[in-house]
């Protein structure tokens, strides 16, 4: 059931409506401390949805919400769960997003 919930939620994380996108990121930020390592089955699906367009967003609210989500992931999940998806994102992103992901890896 976790896959079904987050599969539906994932599309809101990169919704074309910036308000929907921002609220989805803010909601994800609130869910991470509650779910913690229980997110492990869906983390490889969620990280690209949270990072891809949001860390390069010119909308300051979306960018800030994306940074908060990445920080919450680092605080509440075991690092080994984040290492591979963060490395993959750092390798293939560009601009500000690549810099942010590289700093988190360091």
């Amino acid at each position: 059931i976790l896959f079904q919930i987050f599969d539906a939620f994932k599309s809101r994380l990169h919704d074309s409506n910036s308000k929907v996108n921002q609220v989805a990121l803010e909601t994800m930020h609130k869910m991470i401390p509650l779910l913690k390592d229980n997110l492990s089955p869906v983390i490889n699906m969620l990280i690209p949805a949270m990072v891809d367009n949001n860390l390069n967003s010119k909308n300051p609210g979306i960018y800030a919400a994306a940074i908060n989500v990445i920080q919450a992931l680092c605080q509440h999940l075991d690092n080994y769960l984040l290492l591979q998806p963060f490395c993959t994102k750092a390798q293939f992103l560009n601009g500000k997003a690549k810099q942010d992901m590289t700093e988190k890896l360091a």
Side-chain angles (χ1 to χ4, degrees):
I1 192 156
L2 193 67
F3 276 105
Q4 293 169 331
I5 292 168
F6 282 101
D7 193 43
F9 186 73
K10 175 181 69 169
S11 61
R12 302 291 66 89
L13 291 167
H14 49 80
D15 197 279
S16 60
N17 182 324
S18 62
K19 291 179 183 176
V20 171
N21 188 357
Q22 185 172 341
V23 168
L25 287 165
E26 291 167 355
T27 301
M28 191 70 222
H29 181 252
K30 293 175 186 171
M31 288 192 293
I32 292 168
L34 302 173
L35 295 172
K36 297 183 182 179
D37 289 339
N38 293 320
L39 286 171
S40 63
V42 294
I43 202 69
N44 287 326
M45 166 182 39
L46 287 177
I47 287 178
M50 291 183 280
V51 168
D52 282 351
N53 295 319
N54 300 320
L55 282 181
N56 274 331
S57 178
K58 294 188 184 343
N59 180 319
I62 290 174
Y63 176 75
I67 289 293
N68 287 339
V69 166
I70 298 301
Q71 289 173 339
L73 286 170
C74 293
Q75 288 174 354
H76 298 285
L77 272 72
D78 281 333
N79 289 337
Y80 75 90
L81 293 173
L82 301 174
L83 185 60
Q84 183 61 48
F86 277 20
C87 283
T88 302
K89 288 287 106 191
Q91 185 177 5
F92 294 108
L93 288 170
N94 55 34
K96 186 169 48 169
K98 184 178 190 93
Q99 180 182 347
D100 290 333
M101 292 307 296
T102 303
E103 287 174 7
K104 285 299 172 194
L105 280 168

